[in-house]
Amino acid sequence: IEIDYWSQWFRSYTAAMVNYGRLAQRAGAELLCLGAEMDGTVQQNAHWSKLIDEMRRVYAGPLAYEVHGAIDFDHLPAWYRKLDIVGYSFYRPVATKPGATNEEMKPVIEAQVADMKRLAETLGKPLLLTESGAMSRKGA
């Protein structure tokens, strides 16, 4: 017997998110983020698409998902296009060596910002900076 673990997982996750969607609708939330940094799930296009459809039945506001890390523009998940807003977690190293100067880090930051802009333009969606930070380590 083959078990479809993805279907089971998404059934459970969708039930939880629909509950949050109903609460968000009642509370008048301005935005609902469907998840963050769930890299292992993002290529499950059919499951995410169905989850978004279910959310639209219970929540009328904009839906987002938080993308993080390097963006693979050749393999963007199809369901990203069903979102209203693309969230982005800016939490990547910008120093290429310990003790890097601001001038040395600036091109790395600029490249990451360019990726964020390209993602928003590619999807035709507004981009929301949902998280920003620096790791607590030397050279971060």
Side-chain angles (χ1 to χ4, degrees), residues 27-43:
E30 295 179 29
L31 169 78
L32 183 61
C33 186
L34 300 179
E37 302 184 20
M38 297 167 64
D39 296 345
T41 71
V42 296
Q43 293 303 328

Side-chain angles (χ1 to χ4, degrees), residues 62-113:
L63 298 175
Y65 176 84
E66 182 185 277
V67 177
H68 85 289
I71 301 164
D72 182 355
F73 286 96
D74 294 327
H75 299 98
L76 285 178
W79 61 271
Y80 281 8
R81 295 188 186 285
K82 293 182 80 169
L83 298 169
D84 301 299
I85 296 171
V86 177
Y88 190 84
S89 173
F90 190 83
Y91 199 77
R92 295 179 9 206
V94 295
T96 56
K97 64 181 182 184
T101 66
N102 287 346
E103 285 305 310
E104 291 169 322
M105 290 185 282
K106 188 175 177 181
V108 178
I109 292 171
E110 288 172 344
Q112 292 179 17
V113 169

Side-chain angles (χ1 to χ4, degrees), residues 21 24-26 29-30 32 55-63 84:
Q25 184 66 33
R26 279 196 304 243
E30 295 179 29
L32 183 61
M55 295 304 294
R56 298 230 185 262
R57 289 184 181 95
V58 298
Y59 178 70
L63 298 175
D84 301 299

